[in-house]
């Protein structure tokens, strides 16, 4: 029977002009033999059909024709659900197999959800959040009674976040109720496949790694300016050189223009509309803040060729199938190799297709990053994804979810949870603390009934949620994404346009004009968490800004970047990017040096602003932020003063008053500055660690269920959430300092936000390498971007551009005199 069905699969492939690849056949056979594993092959190779055909063959071979969900396909994005459902249905409908496929996510109507519960499809495509909502249903045991396999799509996207942890916990319950459950994870870009498979498939599970697909070819070309200014700064290219991008854009080529932030995508879309009015009907904007219906329309128009250029963000990074796309343009550095591979894969999205990427720098030094990235690609390097460490807030949410539905037995559930890679080390004390927290409100909150969420049912030997209102509110707030509260934007007599953050819209007054979703909009009023707007012809440069706009270089790319700087120091300019940077690099060498990988360059100089200390570890923005404040704290312990810190991906600057002996103190206390002992206490003094932990606790309190966002029509404002989380923080700090959620907040700040392990590694590299102190007459090319970074945070009636131009003229004047 199975052989006959596989022949039908092969015939369908042949009708499409395809031939099943080696890795696809290997995947089908491994599944039918009862194995679980990880499929890691390039984007566009056919992972979906490699994963689903084995389960489909088994469903069709089943003589009993069991009811209920047989295959669960979990994807990180709602947009992918629709495309995946259509892709899976295609062979089923073409061959006429008696299998139903459905999608369930936040956009699924209540009518359709009810139908799925009464008559479940054999294959369900869903997201982690929607799966957890199903687990919170009393019908969950019957719904998944005959589940045989789970597919985790784009696992690299989930594993590095709490959404991945949420998925692991959901899988632990499914496996507890079906010990024969097979799991297959799919990924194109992950550097730690063994660890990734542990988290996807559980510990002590026999795993198969399938990665035998042909390597995908990626062609990267840079849009290099005619001349490189010797004093670069972030943003000095980009929009100001939009003509360079227009010159290479081709109307006949379907193109995705990727930016790193939604704000940047809005500005580039506005720029292209202005520069190319003839493309008005063939140009679109796509990012996650735009309303779903509009995004879906754009995706459909892109596929059928109506749209030629789409400016987008990571909203189109993942596996949406855009076969017509011929070219990808990346605006600014992608900051890591995996992101570029993922975006490149959107073009020529078919097996053995050759992706074409054009890189548009927004800063001359980004050419260094691209040169490093190119070498990393040539060496088949890719970043690892670090899973969260035992986040108890996600566990508390999971237990409450189970208590809303089938209930949970603490002994059996603990055994299942310890089989996940994330929680295999959870102690009995931590587990008992979680149960006490949910049942009694912990040691501090027992007097408040809303925190006593679960109660023990002696007859069933299970914990259940004790109150229906608690269950309803919990299900509405399931999830681990805790972004700032959003305000819907809609026409005063029409459709919803999208959403912006509350903090942005609260700064506007009625009749103010802003640019959003490709439209010039005038604010009419704000009511019930909705901003009512109308179209306006008045021009405005105001564009919404969203939290999380800054990205830092990955640790892998910083390693390659240091290699590039060393090659440049030795005049080995053997890439187009390094050759283009030669005037800038020569100017840096004239004033100072370019450090080798084993060297740390520290530059000092005096200007009318004060004394400057420039340090270049090339470790990425977030590490430099920690190092900068750490050094400032250690220096001011020697002698009190105000030291200003400025950081970017290449280094950091310390600026002290003219009368402060910064250079002398630096030379005297160098050993103390680069030590990694007492680092946590020094960081606490440097950064007001308590305040950072308090901010992180706000997110943890939301995920754990201590704070609820509220009902859809009555969402809490960011101010209300902040007040609630601060109050809880103070109560726990005073009456229960050992509270595990407080400890989690501290751990996340140190290890996720401040990247303590990378910071410690950087200090070790400084101690073991050679430190070169270069006294320079004025800031050079590496220092100039740090000066500009500081200007951005200073109030002035001059624009950044005006101030930077004045600084450039001043610097060039010094060189002329010399």
């Amino acid at each position: 029977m199975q052989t006959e069905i596989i022949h039908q699969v092969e015939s369908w492939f042949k009708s499409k002009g395809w031939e099943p690849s080696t890795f696809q056949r290997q995947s089908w056979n491994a599944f039918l033999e009862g194995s679980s594993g990880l499929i890691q092959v390039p984007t566009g190779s056919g992972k979906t059909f490699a994963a689903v055909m084995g389960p489909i063959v088994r469903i069709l071979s089943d003589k009993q024709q069991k009811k209920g969900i047989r295959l669960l396909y979990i994807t990180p994005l709602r947009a992918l659900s629709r495309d995946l459902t259509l892709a899976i249905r295609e062979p089923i409908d073409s061959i006429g197999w008696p299998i139903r496929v459905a999608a369930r996510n936040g956009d699924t109507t209540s009518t359709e959800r009810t139908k799925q519960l009464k008559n479940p499809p054999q294959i369900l495509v869903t997201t982690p959040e929607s799966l957890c909502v199903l687990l919170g249903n009393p019908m969950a045991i019957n719904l998944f009674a005959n589940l045989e396999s789970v597919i985790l799509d784009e696992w690299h996207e989930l594993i590095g976040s709490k959404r991945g942890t949420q998925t692991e916990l959901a899988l632990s319950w499914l496996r507890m109720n079906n010990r024969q459950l097979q799991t297959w994870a799919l990924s194109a870009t992950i550097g730690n496949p063994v660890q990734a498979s542990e988290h996807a498939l559980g510990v002590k599970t026999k795993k198969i790694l399938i990665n035998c697909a042909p390597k995908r070819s990626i062609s990267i070309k840079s849009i290099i300016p005619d001349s490189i200014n010797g004093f670069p700064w972030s943003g000095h290219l980009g929009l100001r050189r939009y003509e360079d991008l227009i010159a290479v854009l081709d109307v006949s080529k379907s193109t995705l223009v990727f930016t790193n932030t939604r704000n940047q995508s809005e500005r580039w879309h506005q720029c292209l509309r202005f520069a190319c009015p003839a493309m008005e009907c063939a140009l679109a904007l796509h990012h996650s803040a735009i309303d779903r219906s509009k995004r879906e329309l754009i995706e459909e128009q892109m596929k059928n060729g109506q749209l030629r250029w789409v400016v987008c963000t990571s909203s189109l990074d993942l596996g949406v199938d855009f076969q017509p796309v011929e070219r990808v343009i990346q605006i600014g550095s992608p900051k890591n190799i995996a992101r570029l591979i993922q975006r490149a894969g959107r073009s020529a999205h078919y097996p053995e297709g050759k992706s074409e990427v054009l890189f548009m720098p927004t800063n001359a030094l980004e050419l260094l990053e691209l040169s490093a990235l190119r070498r990393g690609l040539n060496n088949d390097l890719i970043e690892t994804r670090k899973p969260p460490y035992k986040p108890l807030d996600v566990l508390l949410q999971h237990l409450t979810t189970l208590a809303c539905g089938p209930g949970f037995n603490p002994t059996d559930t603990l055994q299942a949870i310890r089989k996940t890679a994330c929680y295999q080390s959870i102690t009995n004390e931590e587990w008992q603390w979680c149960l006490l927290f949910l049942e009694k409100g912990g040691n501090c909150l027992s007097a408040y009934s809303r925190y006593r969420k679960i109660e023990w049912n002696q007859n069933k030997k299970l914990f259940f949620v004790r109150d229906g209102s608690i269950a309803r509110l919990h299900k509405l707030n399931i999830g681990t994404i805790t972004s700032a509260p959003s305000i819907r934007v809609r026409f005063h007599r029409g459709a919803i346009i999208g959403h912006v953050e509350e903090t942005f819209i609260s700064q506007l007054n009625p009749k103010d004009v802003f640019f959003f979703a490709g439209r010039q909009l005038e604010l009419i009023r704000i009511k019930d968490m909705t901003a009512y707007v109308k179209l306006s012809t008045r021009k405005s440069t105001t564009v919404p800004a969203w939290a999380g706009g800054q990205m830092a270089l990955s640790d892998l790319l910083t390693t390659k970047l240091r290699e590039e700087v060393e090659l440049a120091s030795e005049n080995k300019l053997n890439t187009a990017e390094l050759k283009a940077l030669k005037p800038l690099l020569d100017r840096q060498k004239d004033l100072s040096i370019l450090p080798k990988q084993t060297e740390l360059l520290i530059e000092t100089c005096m200007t009318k602003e004060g004394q400057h200390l420039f340090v270049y570890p090339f470790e990425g923005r977030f590490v430099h932020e920690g190092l900068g404040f750490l050094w400032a704290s250690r220096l001011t312990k020697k002698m009190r003063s105000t030291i200003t810190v400025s950081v970017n991906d290449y280094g950091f600057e310390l600026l002290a008053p003219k009368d402060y002996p910064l250079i002398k103190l630096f030379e005297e206390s160098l050993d103390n500055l680069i030590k990694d002992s007492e680092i946590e206490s020094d960081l606490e003094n440097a950064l007001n660690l308590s305040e950072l932990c308090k901010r992180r606790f706000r997110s943890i309190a939301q995920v754990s269920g201590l704070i609820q966002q509220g009902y859809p029509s009555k969402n809490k404002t960011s101010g209300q959430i902040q007040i609630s989380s601060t109050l809880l923080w103070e109560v726990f700090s005073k009456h229960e300092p050992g509270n595990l959620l407080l400890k989690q907040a501290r751990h996340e700040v140190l290890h996720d936000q401040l990247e303590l392990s990378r910071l410690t590694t950087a200090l070790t590299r400084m101690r073991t390498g050679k430190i070169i102190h270069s006294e320079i007459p004025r800031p050079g090319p590496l220092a100039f971007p740090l000066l500009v970074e500081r200007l951005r945070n200073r109030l002035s009636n001059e624009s950044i551009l005006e101030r930077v131009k004045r600084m450039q003229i001043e610097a060039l004047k010094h060189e002329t005199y010399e």
Side-chain angles (χ1 to χ4, degrees):
M1 183 71 171
Q2 289 184 353
T3 304
E4 180 184 336
I5 298 168
I6 289 176
H7 284 320
Q8 293 177 4
V9 173
E10 291 172 339
S11 297
W12 180 77
F13 266 68
K14 189 175 181 180
S15 71
K16 301 287 291 183
W18 303 338
E19 175 70 27
S21 64
T22 302
F23 89 88
Q24 287 175 326
R25 292 182 185 277
Q26 189 178 346
S27 302
W28 302 341
N29 293 333
F31 179 84
L32 293 173
E33 290 169 0
S35 299
S36 294
L38 172 68
I39 301 174
Q40 183 173 14
V41 293
T43 298
S45 300
K47 293 190 295 295
T48 300
F49 290 129
V52 301
M53 286 306 182
I56 286 175
V57 170
R58 176 170 292 169
I59 293 170
L60 294 168
S61 304
D62 179 21
K63 295 179 181 178
Q64 299 178 10
Q65 290 298 302
K66 299 171 192 167
K67 301 295 182 181
I69 299 170
R70 307 282 295 278
L71 167 61
L72 194 61
Y73 199 117
I74 302 173
T75 178
L77 287 183
R78 296 180 191 178
L80 293 181
S81 301
R82 186 182 63 260
D83 272 34
L84 285 166
T85 303
L86 293 174
I88 296 169
R89 278 179 182 163
E90 188 177 359
I92 292 172
D93 294 344
S94 177
I95 300 172
W97 288 329
I99 294 177
R100 287 186 300 114
V101 185
R104 184 186 178 102
N105 53 52
D107 297 326
T108 307
T109 64
S110 57
T111 303
E112 180 61 25
R113 293 179 190 180
T114 302
K115 288 180 180 178
Q116 290 173 0
L117 288 173
K118 290 180 179 179
N119 187 18
Q122 288 95 334
I123 300 175
L124 183 67
V125 181
T126 189
T127 60
E129 292 79 8
S130 292
L131 171 58
C132 290
V133 172
L134 286 174
L135 295 188
N137 191 299
M139 298 172 61
I141 291 178
N142 291 332
L143 190 65
F144 295 108
N146 294 319
L147 185 67
E148 296 167 342
S149 48
V150 177
I151 296 171
L152 303 172
D153 196 28
E154 308 287 359
W155 182 235
H156 58 273
E157 185 68 20
L158 289 172
I159 186 177
S161 70
K162 288 182 180 179
R163 295 184 78 208
T165 307
Q166 181 183 28
T167 307
E168 282 189 67
L169 287 169
L171 287 173
S172 74
W173 184 86
L174 293 172
R175 292 186 185 118
M176 181 178 71
N177 289 277
N178 186 347
R179 299 187 185 279
Q180 303 304 314
L181 185 68
Q182 292 174 250
T183 308
W184 283 85
L186 313 182
S187 175
T189 52
I190 200 160
N192 50 333
V194 174
Q195 186 182 25
S197 62
E198 281 274 308
H199 282 263
L201 312 179
V203 296
K204 298 179 182 177
T205 302
K206 187 178 179 181
K207 307 167 185 68
I208 292 178
L209 175 61
I210 296 177
N211 58 0
C212 55
K215 181 182 176 183
R216 188 178 181 86
S217 176
I218 300 177
S219 169
I220 305 176
K221 296 179 182 177
S222 297
I223 302 173
I224 297 175
D226 295 333
S227 62
I228 297 289
N229 194 298
F231 300 99
W233 52 282
S234 178
H236 79 286
L237 299 178
L239 280 170
R240 292 178 56 242
R241 300 193 64 93
Y242 70 90
E243 296 96 338
D244 293 342
L245 178 61
I246 301 296
V248 297
L249 278 171
D250 189 337
V251 176
S252 66
K253 282 193 173 184
S254 178
T255 304
L256 291 179
V257 181
F258 277 105
T259 65
N260 289 338
T261 66
R262 288 173 283 189
N263 179 277
Q264 196 179 26
S265 69
E266 291 274 359
R267 294 184 184 280
W268 272 99
H269 179 258
Q270 193 175 17
C271 174
L272 291 178
R273 281 183 65 192
F274 167 78
C276 306
M279 291 294 293
E280 178 74 24
C281 296
L283 170 69
L285 172 66
H286 190 291
H287 60 68
S288 58
I290 295 173
D291 186 62
R292 173 183 61 87
S293 59
K294 177 66 174 174
R295 295 199 310 270
E296 289 179 357
L297 178 62
I298 291 169
E299 292 161 17
E300 192 59 38
Q301 290 176 333
M302 192 73 184
K303 291 175 188 175
N304 61 32
Q306 288 177 255
L307 292 173
R308 307 308 295 162
W309 303 344
V310 174
V311 183
C312 57
T313 61
S314 55
S315 60
L316 290 183
D317 268 7
L318 300 181
V320 179
D321 189 5
F322 284 140
Q323 288 190 17
V325 174
E326 298 168 84
R327 175 187 281 178
V328 165
I329 292 176
Q330 170 65 43
I331 305 290
S333 169
K335 299 300 180 184
N336 73 44
I337 297 172
R339 184 176 292 113
L340 185 69
I341 292 174
Q342 198 67 41
R343 291 179 174 179
R346 298 304 100 213
S347 67
H349 194 81
Y350 51 85
E352 300 182 18
K354 182 176 181 179
S355 298
E356 181 182 348
V357 180
L358 281 176
F359 174 69
M360 174 76 180
T362 62
N363 173 359
L365 289 175
E366 286 182 338
L367 291 171
L368 261 180
E369 295 179 36
L370 184 69
S371 187
L373 197 148
R374 189 193 299 277
R375 293 186 201 275
L377 277 175
N378 292 340
N379 293 326
D380 295 328
L381 298 176
I382 197 164
E383 285 86 4
T384 61
R385 302 297 176 104
K386 178 187 172 186
Y389 175 72
K390 203 165 53 177
L392 295 184
D393 56 341
V394 186
L395 178 57
L396 291 169
Q397 183 184 112
H398 173 69
L399 294 177
T400 307
T401 298
L402 295 182
C404 289
F408 71 91
N409 177 281
T411 304
D412 296 341
T413 304
L414 177 59
Q415 289 179 357
I417 286 171
R418 279 181 171 159
K419 291 178 182 176
T420 67
C422 194
Y423 295 97
Q424 60 181 315
S425 64
I426 188 170
T427 64
N428 290 332
E429 290 74 21
E430 289 169 332
W431 178 250
Q432 291 302 323
W433 184 90
C434 290
L435 294 179
L436 178 66
F437 191 83
L438 292 176
E439 186 179 14
K440 306 292 186 184
N443 294 328
C444 296
L445 304 175
S446 58
Y448 304 93
S449 60
R450 66 180 179 274
Y451 298 115
R452 302 195 302 271
K453 296 185 176 182
I454 64 175
E455 63 183 2
W456 179 249
N457 186 307
Q458 185 61 36
N459 293 328
K460 295 184 178 181
K461 306 296 183 185
L462 298 171
F463 276 112
F464 290 98
V465 166
R466 64 178 188 82
D467 187 274
S469 61
I470 292 176
R472 285 191 295 274
L473 191 57
H474 173 79
K475 289 178 187 179
L476 288 170
N477 289 273
I478 283 176
T480 61
I481 301 173
T482 56
S483 55
S486 299
I487 296 285
R488 283 181 302 179
V489 180
R490 72 182 306 159
F491 289 118
H492 68 302
R493 291 179 182 170
I496 295 173
I497 305 170
H499 64 270
V500 297
E501 289 188 0
E502 178 193 5
T503 49
F504 166 76
I505 209 76
S506 64
Q507 297 170 10
L508 301 180
N509 297 312
K511 297 188 177 182
D512 282 351
V513 175
F514 63 101
F515 193 85
F516 173 61
R519 296 178 172 97
Q520 208 75 30
L521 304 172
E522 179 183 321
L523 179 65
I524 299 173
R525 67 181 184 277
I526 301 172
K527 183 181 179 182
D528 297 331
M529 299 296 283
T530 301
Y532 293 91
V533 299
K534 64 180 180 181
L535 291 174
S536 174
T537 56
R538 288 190 291 133
K539 300 298 181 186
S540 172
T541 58
T542 303
V543 176
W546 287 267
Q550 287 187 329
M551 295 191 296
L553 286 171
S554 67
D555 54 351
L556 175 59
L557 198 50
T558 55
T559 301
K560 304 307 292 182
L561 181 63
R562 290 192 291 272
E563 292 178 14
E564 293 301 303
V565 175
E566 178 168 329
L567 289 170
S569 73
E570 298 171 348
N571 290 316
K572 296 177 181 177
L573 310 180
N574 50 10
T575 65
E577 292 80 18
L578 288 181
K579 289 175 183 175
L581 282 172
K582 188 176 187 306
L584 184 151
L585 299 172
D586 287 344
R587 178 171 275 149
Q588 172 66 26
K589 287 191 225 178
D590 289 342
L591 280 170
S592 178
I593 68 157
L594 285 167
K596 293 181 170 55
Q597 294 181 71
T598 56
E599 298 173 339
L600 173 68
L601 172 62
I602 299 175
E603 295 177 339
T604 56
C605 72
M606 177 80 77
T607 69
K608 61 183 180 182
E609 289 186 291
Q611 295 186 72
H612 302 262
L613 182 73
F614 301 103
V615 187
Y616 307 105
F618 295 96
E619 287 283 2
R621 171 182 292 274
F622 298 149
V623 175
H624 294 155
E625 188 172 48
L627 285 172
F629 285 107
L630 183 69
W631 279 36
S633 173
R634 288 175 173 176
L635 284 168
T636 52
K637 277 185 180 179
K638 296 281 185 182
M639 183 174 175
R640 294 176 64 85
S641 182
T642 298
I643 294 181
T644 305
V645 181
S646 175
V647 305
N648 63 17
D649 276 318
Y650 310 109
F652 61 92
E653 174 207 25
L654 302 183
L655 172 64
K658 288 184 179 180
D659 58 353
Y660 185 78
L662 178 66
I663 298 172
K664 180 183 176 184
L665 284 177
F666 146 69
E667 291 174 337
E668 291 176 352
S669 56
L670 181 58
D671 289 341
N672 182 56
L673 292 177
I674 59 178
K675 71 177 183 179
D676 59 7
S677 59
E678 301 175 358
I679 189 168
E680 286 194 27
S681 61
D682 285 351
L683 278 174
E684 187 146 15
N685 294 330
L687 288 166
N688 190 358
L689 199 60
S690 178
E691 186 60 33
L692 291 178
C693 292
K694 190 185 296 184
R695 292 178 192 171
R696 181 57 67 108
F697 177 77
R698 168 178 163 171
S699 171
I700 290 171
Q702 287 180 261
V703 173
S704 65
L706 276 172
I707 300 172
Q708 304 283 12
Q709 183 70 49
Y711 292 98
S713 60
K714 298 180 180 179
N715 279 349
K716 292 181 180 178
T717 66
S718 57
Q720 290 171 323
I721 292 173
Q722 183 62 47
I723 290 169
S724 299
S725 66
T726 300
L727 181 61
L728 287 167
W729 169 273
E730 290 172 353
V731 168
F732 291 149
S733 299
K734 183 176 181 179
H735 300 289
E736 190 188 355
N739 186 289
L740 296 187
L741 296 183
L742 297 185
K743 291 184 177 180
Q744 182 185 332
R746 182 182 177 88
H747 181 274
E748 289 184 10
V749 166
L750 286 172
H751 295 273
D752 299 338
Q753 185 173 338
L754 299 178
E755 298 191 85
L756 184 60
S757 59
R758 282 184 67 182
L759 197 153
T760 304
T761 301
L763 288 171
T764 301
R765 194 169 59 79
M766 291 177 183
R767 286 198 310 275
T768 55
K770 181 181 179 182
I771 296 177
I772 298 175
H773 177 198
S774 176
E775 295 189 53
I776 53 177
R778 61 190 170 278
L782 290 181
F784 197 81
L786 288 166
L787 299 180
V788 178
E789 196 74 31
R790 183 158 39 79
L791 286 180
R792 294 182 187 279
N793 299 317
R794 183 181 299 173
L795 290 175
S796 173
N797 58 7
E798 282 185 298
S799 69
I800 285 285
L801 182 59
E802 290 171 330
R803 284 178 280 172
V804 170
K805 281 184 175 178
R806 193 175 67 250
M807 289 164 58
Q808 289 176 332
I809 292 170
E810 191 70 24
L812 289 169
K813 192 186 299 182
H814 281 296
E815 292 194 356
T816 303
Y817 291 155
E818 291 175 4

